[in-house]
Amino acid sequence: MATNKKEEHKAEIQKILTRHVGRRRAVGAAALAREVFGAEAKDNPAKIKRLLRALISELRSEGAAIASHSDSAGGGYYLMVGSEREEFADKLKQAGLRKLVMAARILDTTLGSLLENMLENLKGGRA
């Protein structure tokens, strides 16, 4: 996807999500895809959903407060407010910590040693 088109889609996602603030106002992935991609969303829905997820991941990496949830009633994407930001950040930290624990076990070292090594690499510009 061309960079300009990609940036346009990201901007459109952010614009649409301003109408979906808080978990109770989440928009489903299919509905969001239709709003962002229009008729394209009908041609190849699986591809468009993958693209939507990639764009949302990119926006999150840039600091956008976009959350998602799923439950028996469906789920969707929304902009986080208040404590939702902290809750989402806590989930990300827990997931990251679980992966670091796994990496330490694979390397047969302690989590503390792994973190110290990572910190040294960061300080040395070798992240």
Side-chain angles (χ1 to χ4, degrees), residues 15-104:
K15 178 180 154 197
I16 293 164
L17 288 179
T18 62
R19 299 189 312 265
H20 300 278
V21 178
R23 183 182 175 118
R24 292 188 337 223
R25 299 201 56 194
V27 59
L32 182 57
R34 282 191 304 274
E35 284 194 65
V36 174
F37 300 102
E40 266 183 275
K42 290 181 183 177
D43 296 340
N44 192 341
K47 178 182 175 186
I48 293 298
K49 281 187 180 181
R50 281 192 305 274
L51 179 56
L52 180 64
R53 283 193 302 272
L55 292 171
I56 287 172
S57 290
E58 199 169 307
L59 284 165
R60 285 175 174 159
S61 295
E62 295 167 1
I66 301 171
S68 58
H69 77 92
S70 61
D71 54 34
S72 59
Y77 294 101
Y78 59 97
L79 291 180
M80 293 177 269
V81 292
S83 64
E84 291 173 335
R85 287 174 178 249
E86 287 183 31
E87 290 169 16
F88 192 76
D90 285 344
K91 287 179 185 177
L92 290 174
K93 290 187 285 186
Q94 287 298 321
L97 189 55
R98 284 191 298 273
K99 290 179 180 184
L100 289 171
V101 166
M102 189 184 316

